[in-house]
Amino acid sequence: MSSAELPRVRFAPSPTGYLHVGSARTALFNWLFARTTGGTMVLRIEDTDESRNRPELTDAIFEYLAWLGIDYDEGPYYQSERRERHREAVQQLLDDGRAYLCDADDNELPGSEMADGRAVRFRTQQGTTVIDDVIRGEVAVDHAQLGDFVIWRSDGSPTFVLANAVDDADMAITHAIRGEDLLSSTPRAVLVAQALGTTPPAYAHLPLLVNEQRKKLSKRRDDVSLESYRQRGYLASAMANYLALLGWGPRDEVEIRPMAEIIGQFRLEDVNKAPAFFDLAKLEHFNGVYIRELDSEELLGALAPYLESDQVPWPPECYRPDVAASMIPLVQEKLRTLSGIIPQLDWLFCPEPPMDEKSWDKSVVRGRASAEILDRTIVALADCPWEPDTVKDAVFAAGEAHGVNRSKSQAPVRVAVTGRSVGPPLFEPMVQHLSREEVLRRLRNARSQL
Ligand code: GLU
């Protein structure tokens, strides 16, 4: 195959907001297709809407593509720098009679000289355009639905469809892989491309992403920015793996696997057209799997920004990195996000355990047996050897005296010492990292509130 026959795809974001999980999925599918076929990935920043562009949003696109491991072979091209080329294409359409000038009231004006303050409309002829979408099959649109559409605004800027079609042609894009929300603009882009004498790319419109209520993911309702997932401690590897499965799946159905393997399996024609459910629980599960795969040094490195941030609930002078490091093997199994480390460890560094009211309201904790278990435990721990096994035995014995099983007898002690009903194994870290006096103080304090 000569390189002229290899696919050329592009990710073409408009920097009007922070990178959305849907855009990230679009970028990833383009990249997977390019890497699977040996094609070329182009990055094109569609920054023609000057009123909404902010340079930091473009920087965020670069940053998050890099975070996900999505690289590109060409670009970034900036659409805003191609204004003259877009003007030239509009002039060609005017000269060929395929477009016309309009006045402020949208009336057709004679002549074909582009001038300031004049909009230009594409002259849509009667007929039907059939898009042979790689994912959706044939989509036919009657031109009556399109009308004569604007390709150049009176403020001297190209419209999305014009710039998009011209750039795809000039950049020799073979496949336009993008979100389903753009499908309605596709027939216009095809008409413009054809009128310019170019061949439009093959289109592949990726399925919508929907939430649990099967509603389209939206900025207002759902957590959609990649940034917020990264901040909450989703690993890039887990996120990328999960995004790859939104609307696509490998034929062997093995879902959790390294990107290098996904590249070998990805087929654009296997993408579904049905909406893809953005399943937070599944993403968390993936993240947990990827967190468990880290060795303890890697995990500690990944957790450090969370443990050392200025948002931690403990006073900085109370933090003990060696204690945090020793806890890693105890919490790794259960961790679903990196930020989830905080509620696992805060009781070891906060002068007062954080009080989770919900934990206190559980009947095992509020019940009458709890008060008696705490009373007995306080007496027993006052002079037993300060070792995990003896402390544990003392708590279990206190429970047994009230006919309460081991996990139930541990519950009030756990809540008293850690503030929560769930957390890492209790006795070893409690005895190793808190003093007898401190544990007794917390137990008495809790007892007084029952
Ligand atoms: N710039 C468009 C957007 O961000 C995408 C254009 C395309 O992929 O064709 O919605």
Side-chain angles (χ1 to χ4, degrees), residues 100-152:
Y100 57 87
L101 297 165
C102 303
D103 67 14
D105 297 322
D106 259 356
N107 297 312
E108 182 169 346
L109 294 170
S112 63
E113 265 323 296
M114 281 175 77
D116 290 345
R118 296 276 162 82
V120 178
R121 278 182 185 265
F122 186 82
R123 198 185 298 284
T124 305
Q125 292 159 350
Q126 283 187 356
T128 303
T129 288
V130 180
I131 299 152
D132 191 9
D133 190 282
V134 180
I135 296 164
R136 272 144 230 281
E138 291 192 351
V139 182
V141 180
D142 186 329
H143 294 181
Q145 290 173 33
L146 306 176
D148 288 354
F149 51 90
V150 177
I151 53 176
W152 191 260

Side-chain angles (χ1 to χ4, degrees), residues 10 12-14 46 160 164 178 182:
R10 81 301 193 272
S14 304
E46 297 206 328
F160 161 68
N164 191 256
R178 58 188 197 171
L182 292 164

Side-chain angles (χ1 to χ4, degrees), residues 7 30 76-77 116 131 150 156 195 205 212 288 292 295 389 428 444:
N30 275 283
Y77 296 116
D116 290 345
I131 299 152
V150 177
H205 287 94
E212 215 158 14
R292 287 198 287 285
D295 65 36
D389 282 345
E428 217 164 286
R444 288 194 191 101

Side-chain angles (χ1 to χ4, degrees), residues 2-32:
S2 80
S3 69
E5 290 164 322
L6 289 173
R8 287 177 57 84
V9 296
R10 81 301 193 272
F11 176 50
S14 304
T16 53
Y18 283 97
L19 204 63
H20 179 289
V21 289
S23 307
R25 193 266 315 253
T26 298
L28 183 64
F29 278 32
N30 275 283
W31 181 83
L32 285 170

Side-chain angles (χ1 to χ4, degrees), residues 69-98:
I70 300 174
D71 59 351
Y72 41 93
D73 310 303
E74 267 183 40
Y77 296 116
Y78 292 88
Q79 202 163 53
S80 59
E81 291 172 4
R82 295 175 43 79
R83 178 72 51 96
E84 279 318 303
R85 172 66 191 118
H86 299 141
R87 184 190 294 276
E88 198 178 283
V90 173
Q91 189 63 58
Q92 180 189 335
L93 294 171
L94 283 167
D95 292 343
D96 292 348
R98 303 301 306 271

Side-chain angles (χ1 to χ4, degrees), residues 221-276:
R221 275 193 303 261
D222 308 291
D223 203 350
V224 295
S225 96
L226 221 49
E227 190 179 25
S228 86
Y229 287 95
R230 185 183 182 179
Q231 278 170 1
R232 270 147 58 198
Y234 287 87
L235 299 174
S237 50
M239 195 75 203
N241 189 162
Y242 181 69
L243 290 172
L245 300 168
L246 291 173
W248 173 82
R251 292 183 182 175
D252 64 9
E253 295 183 7
V254 177
E255 292 198 311
I256 302 187
R257 64 200 316 166
M259 209 36 84
E261 276 183 30
I262 294 181
I263 288 173
Q265 300 261 334
F266 187 80
R267 303 280 175 278
L268 194 54
E269 61 276 19
D270 287 353
V271 175
N272 302 309
K273 56 183 173 196

